[in-house]
Amino acid sequence: MDAKRELTSVDLAALVAELGRYEGAKVDKVYLYDDDLLRFRMRDFDRGRVELLIEVGDVKRAHVADPEHVADAPGRPPNFAMMLRNRLSGADFAGVEQYEFDRILSFEFERDDENTTVVAELFGQGNVAVLDETGEVVRSLETVRLKSRTVAPGSQYGFPDSRVDPLTVGYDAFVRQMEDSDTDVVRTLATQLNFGGLYGEEICSRAGVEKGLDIAEAGEAEYEALYDAIGRLADRVRNGDFDPRVYLEDDRVVDATPLPLEERSGLSAEGFDSFNAALDDYFYRLEREPEEETTGTERPDFEAEIAKQQRIIEQQEGAIEGFEEQAAAERERAEALYAHYDLVDEVISTVRAAREDSVPWAEIEETLAAGAERGIPAAEAVEDVDPAEGEVTVDLDGTVVPVDPSVGVEKNADRRYTEAKRIEEKKEGALAAIENTREELEAVERRREEWEADDEDEADEEADEERDVDWRSMSSVPIKQPEHWYEDFRWFHTSDDFLVIGGRNADENEALVKKYMDGNDRFFHAQAHGGPVTVLKATGPSEKARDVDFPDSSLEEAAQFAVSYSSVWKDGRFAGDAYMVDPDQVSKTPESGEYIEKGGFVIRGDRTYFRDVSASIAVGIQCEPETRVIGGPPSAVEPRAETTLRLEPGKFAQNDAAKRCYRKLKDRFADESFVRKVASPDKIQEFLPPGGSSIVEE
């Protein structure tokens, strides 16, 4: 059994109940070890020295440690630790909370001049964010910029999307969550109810419900047993009624839990007075236990792990497709209600009037059936009456919709739209999960590549070899493709390594100027009407602002980018003019009596012009340090890519040109599957200007 390296949501709920006893402790110093382990040294009136550890690397944990288990202070403190010392020295520890049922802890510190929140994200890649009193990020170990949330200095901290808290959910909501699933009971508890694998199995064991039971076969008896088991667990967590255990297998620690678990009954166990003490002992021993030795001939079963991750991805893709279908069905129901407004209103009015007169549901059902026999349209539309739910189901030209007669048509339709939105939010969560799984799959594939590589040479020799790798002839090219915030826009890096970003439409043009353009950047635009806002960035979003003297090469490449992706290309012209201004010359305020359309701006003051700029781009495949399609001005792209194609305005539509590029690039690599993954036609198309293009034959 693999040793636990991350705390579960149940663990954190139990831990929070115990950490409250340290409230009032004063912070002395903060230390940072290896960029992922924070140590808060505090003094408590009753307990003396208190050492709070938060780790967010390969191991993800938070607990108070025995001073004997704490490593010596590192050398010169890094900037992150110094910032925390400045904010927290002499502050009182005011408590800790778990965010909903997620693996996130918020530690509160109070001081006369300022209060500070330290948010520990104990999931995914792990992160620590330091917030001021307004919730704005002062600094974070990692910068996160996703569509759903942002964690970056100067921005409001964004928590992940809300999750169901199974320890507080009501019975009806619990049943709805379970019935929304299309898998078995244990997987539903693990995912829909957010228990994770271990506690999903534990709930089944405590409830006496078969783990592999299909949800479609589960009934009220199973749901009641499961809900009761969850309730008993929740009561013990809320009341701090713990009986902690550290579990061992073959004399090696493998788990620490706040309660004895039936799922761990086959292991030897050691009891502790507090869960915090159990965690401290567990992770202290885990650090010091030697890694399991393997002989040189033992090869990990990478293929089995890869197959497992691929199966998970297939299941997640199926779930996403199901969410899309469910959301579409709910919208269809809402639209059907409005399309048959008068008929549905008549059904609602009839049933509501009968219920207000205390007419039993059975009698209402009989009346509607009689009306249907007489050919009354409203009665004919009623397909079913459900007294338990207080609903009638109507068939609206083939679209079956449950209707609550206690509210009007608009309210019923609004509920359907709301349900569609809720399902789409679940889809967003599934999309995030599938990205995590893909990252895990890529990590396994990389480990396989590393295992199979010849690693007998020295590190410097390996580096020389890597620089001389013939990527095109490799039978399997490893994929390294991290996400970057700027990929939502058009982008490239200049030959001097400055980032240039451009908008694809009016909305993106607005966003670039309002959110992503800083005072030291440069604004470019083609002189021709109909072109992207182009921003040459002086610094990244998480970097400190600084004045930059941009090289001429970067300015010229940014101008060429602005021209190439403008109407100049679409009109089939091979050159055009562009201009550059400072950010403070760009405004959304028009002159009196004038109007600015969306995505447009007023430029005031002198402009620097770039005349007769060539409309030409290159697209290619980069293999180091990342594997991806890149595109933009040839002078910037060609040195970075393993192989490239040049394009100019021409006769092939954007989609057709992308396919032609794909075929040519695919033929240049032995590993064609690699090209399909990183340079498919749709990915190439993102770098092609609007309008027709032709490949410049070499």
Side-chain angles (χ1 to χ4, degrees):
M1 177 187 298
D2 292 335
K4 175 164 76 176
R5 305 182 71 81
E6 301 181 3
L7 298 183
T8 68
S9 293
V10 174
D11 293 338
L12 295 182
L15 184 64
V16 165
E18 290 191 349
L19 288 178
R21 68 185 62 168
Y22 297 97
E23 290 182 17
K26 284 196 176 294
V27 179
D28 281 336
K29 276 191 177 181
V30 182
Y31 304 90
L32 177 62
Y33 301 76
D34 299 328
D35 295 327
D36 58 22
L37 172 61
L38 279 170
R39 167 190 167 198
F40 296 78
R41 193 180 75 191
M42 301 186 289
R43 289 173 289 109
D44 182 79
F45 181 78
D46 295 320
R47 297 175 179 81
R49 179 177 161 191
V50 176
E51 297 281 4
L52 172 64
L53 303 183
I54 300 173
E55 188 169 6
V56 293
D58 291 337
V59 170
K60 296 179 178 64
R61 56 170 171 154
H63 59 83
V64 170
D66 185 321
E68 296 296 322
H69 293 172
V70 176
D72 293 339
R76 185 174 181 273
N79 291 336
F80 192 86
M82 288 302 298
M83 175 273 300
L84 278 171
R85 290 185 185 184
N86 291 336
R87 295 188 66 90
L88 299 183
S89 180
D92 292 330
F93 174 50
V96 58
E97 291 184 353
Q98 180 182 18
Y99 175 68
E100 295 183 346
F101 194 64
D102 216 327
R103 288 180 289 168
I104 298 177
L105 295 181
S106 294
F107 295 84
E108 302 292 338
F109 297 90
E110 296 179 352
R111 202 168 66 179
D112 290 342
D113 59 335
E114 60 185 352
N115 295 339
T116 300
T117 302
V118 177
V119 181
E121 298 181 356
L122 302 170
F123 65 90
Q125 300 301 312
N127 200 6
V128 173
V130 181
L131 318 182
D132 66 14
E133 293 174 320
T134 68
E136 184 176 294
V137 178
V138 178
R139 194 154 180 183
S140 56
L141 289 179
E142 300 291 339
T143 297
V144 178
R145 291 187 184 274
L146 303 173
K147 291 182 179 179
S148 58
R149 62 189 293 254
T150 298
V151 182
S155 67
Q156 284 289 309
Y157 177 80
F159 282 101
D161 292 338
S162 296
R163 295 157 53 95
V164 172
D165 184 348
L167 303 186
T168 60
V169 69
Y171 179 73
D172 291 341
F174 165 75
V175 172
R176 284 197 299 273
Q177 288 289 330
M178 296 293 288
E179 291 181 339
D180 275 349
S181 174
D182 58 0
T183 183
D184 55 32
V185 169
V186 70
R187 288 189 177 91
T188 303
L189 289 169
T191 57
Q192 299 286 93
L193 273 295
N194 303 313
F195 270 117
L198 173 61
Y199 279 94
E201 294 179 348
E202 181 68 16
I203 295 298
C204 288
S205 296
R206 294 187 177 201
V209 174
E210 182 185 345
K211 299 171 187 175
L213 179 68
D214 194 285
I215 282 293
E217 299 175 7
E220 189 171 344
E222 287 79 14
Y223 289 148
E224 288 181 350
L226 292 167
Y227 189 72
D228 182 60
I230 293 171
R232 293 195 302 272
L233 175 65
D235 287 342
R236 295 195 65 172
V237 171
R238 271 192 296 268
N239 297 329
D241 180 17
F242 305 136
D243 186 7
R245 293 286 187 275
V246 168
Y247 289 98
L248 299 94
E249 183 179 57
D250 299 329
D251 295 326
R252 297 169 60 88
V253 293
V254 293
D255 203 355
T257 63
L259 302 165
L261 300 185
E262 293 184 22
E263 291 300 306
R264 296 286 187 253
S265 59
L267 302 174
S268 58
E270 298 175 4
F272 287 81
D273 293 334
S274 71
F275 184 42
N276 191 88
L279 289 175
D280 177 39
D281 180 82
Y282 173 80
F283 284 110
Y284 181 72
R285 291 161 70 177
L286 181 67
E287 286 180 338
R288 282 151 183 77
E289 287 179 347
E291 297 291 333
E292 292 185 15
E293 295 183 1
T294 57
T295 67
T297 59
E298 290 178 340
R299 180 183 186 276
D301 193 351
F302 294 114
E303 285 69 27
E305 182 63 20
I306 289 171
K308 174 186 173 183
Q309 298 298 338
Q310 289 172 335
R311 286 195 302 271
I312 293 173
I313 289 173
E314 289 176 4
Q315 293 168 356
Q316 291 169 328
E317 288 174 338
I320 290 168
E321 184 177 346
F323 291 145
E324 291 172 346
E325 293 173 355
Q326 292 171 33
E330 290 298 339
R331 283 203 170 83
E332 183 181 349
R333 293 186 182 109
E335 291 162 4
L337 290 172
Y338 280 119
H340 300 80
Y341 189 100
D342 292 339
L343 184 146
V344 177
D345 186 55
E346 185 177 348
V347 172
I348 289 174
S349 300
T350 301
V351 176
R352 183 190 297 164
R355 291 299 296 159
E356 289 174 352
D357 290 338
S358 301
V359 177
W361 280 103
E363 188 174 328
I364 292 173
E365 188 172 10
E366 292 172 2
T367 302
L368 290 170
E373 291 178 0
R374 295 198 301 273
I376 299 173
E380 287 180 323
V382 176
E383 188 175 87
D384 186 39
V385 175
D386 187 348
E389 296 294 332
E391 292 180 341
V392 293
T393 300
V394 293
D395 187 338
L396 306 175
D397 289 343
T399 302
V400 178
V401 189
V403 173
D404 180 357
S406 68
V407 297
V409 179
E410 295 89 347
K411 187 68 174 177
N412 273 282
D414 183 61
R415 288 178 178 176
R416 295 297 159 192
Y417 283 125
T418 301
E419 179 63 12
K421 183 178 179 181
R422 186 188 70 83
I423 293 169
E424 286 177 338
E425 289 172 351
K426 291 171 62 177
K427 173 191 166 186
E428 291 302 315
L431 287 170
I434 201 171
E435 287 306 312
N436 290 337
T437 307
R438 286 186 176 126
E439 289 177 7
E440 293 175 6
L441 173 59
E442 290 171 5
V444 176
E445 290 174 336
R446 284 196 298 271
R447 291 200 300 273
R448 180 178 65 179
E449 292 293 335
E450 291 167 1
W451 181 276
E452 293 173 350
D454 182 7
D455 58 358
E456 294 180 356
D457 297 326
E458 295 295 330
D460 55 344
E461 294 175 349
E462 288 180 352
D464 290 338
E465 287 177 8
E466 188 168 333
R467 282 192 288 270
D468 297 330
V469 167
D470 184 359
W471 298 101
R472 296 200 216 176
S473 64
M474 288 179 64
S475 60
S476 178
V477 179
I479 295 177
K480 296 167 285 186
Q481 198 172 55
E483 292 184 357
H484 301 290
W485 64 271
Y486 49 76
E487 292 178 70
D488 287 340
F489 306 98
R490 294 193 188 280
W491 64 273
F492 79 97
H493 286 94
T494 71
S495 50
D496 308 297
D497 209 28
F498 288 98
L499 174 66
V500 175
I501 47 179
R504 290 190 177 90
N505 50 48
D507 287 333
E508 291 189 3
N509 285 346
E510 295 271 345
L512 283 176
V513 171
K514 292 180 179 178
K515 295 174 60 178
Y516 295 100
M517 186 169 70
D518 298 320
N520 296 314
D521 299 339
R522 298 293 184 272
F523 175 99
F524 288 78
H525 202 280
Q527 185 66 20
H529 180 74
V533 163
T534 299
V535 178
L536 173 59
K537 295 290 297 174
T539 54
S542 60
E543 296 179 79
K544 186 177 181 180
R546 58 188 173 92
D547 191 17
V548 172
D549 185 12
F550 291 104
D552 289 343
S553 53
S554 287
L555 300 178
E556 291 163 0
E557 287 166 356
Q560 185 176 17
F561 179 89
V563 167
S564 297
Y565 290 95
S566 74
S567 59
V568 169
W569 190 289
K570 195 171 185 179
D571 294 342
R573 293 184 283 143
F574 291 87
D577 297 340
Y579 62 83
M580 174 184 75
V581 296
D582 292 336
D584 59 9
Q585 295 178 249
V586 183
S587 172
K588 282 294 290 185
T589 306
E591 300 296 337
S592 178
E594 295 183 354
Y595 167 76
I596 300 177
E597 63 185 13
K598 188 173 186 180
F601 301 90
V602 174
I603 307 298
R604 294 185 171 90
D606 295 336
R607 311 180 185 191
T608 301
Y609 281 92
F610 298 80
R611 302 293 187 184
D612 201 28
V613 177
S614 171
S616 174
I617 69 157
V619 294
I621 298 177
Q622 182 180 22
C623 294
E624 272 293 316
E626 300 176 4
T627 47
R628 61 171 68 247
V629 176
I630 57 175
S635 60
V637 170
E638 289 172 349
R640 296 174 181 273
E642 177 68 17
T643 184
T644 60
L645 298 167
R646 280 203 186 192
L647 294 98
E648 61 185 17
K651 62 182 179 179
F652 296 104
Q654 194 182 55
N655 183 51
D656 293 334
K659 291 178 180 177
R660 294 171 72 87
C661 290
Y662 167 70
R663 288 194 291 268
K664 284 182 174 292
L665 292 172
K666 182 166 65 95
D667 291 342
R668 297 180 182 183
F669 284 83
D671 184 3
E672 293 186 1
S673 66
F674 160 72
V675 181
R676 283 197 299 272
K677 292 173 185 175
V678 304
S680 59
D682 59 316
K683 292 180 180 178
I684 294 172
Q685 187 172 337
E686 292 180 3
F687 290 91
L688 299 187
S693 300
S694 291
I695 298 173
V696 179
E697 297 299 333
E698 298 175 350

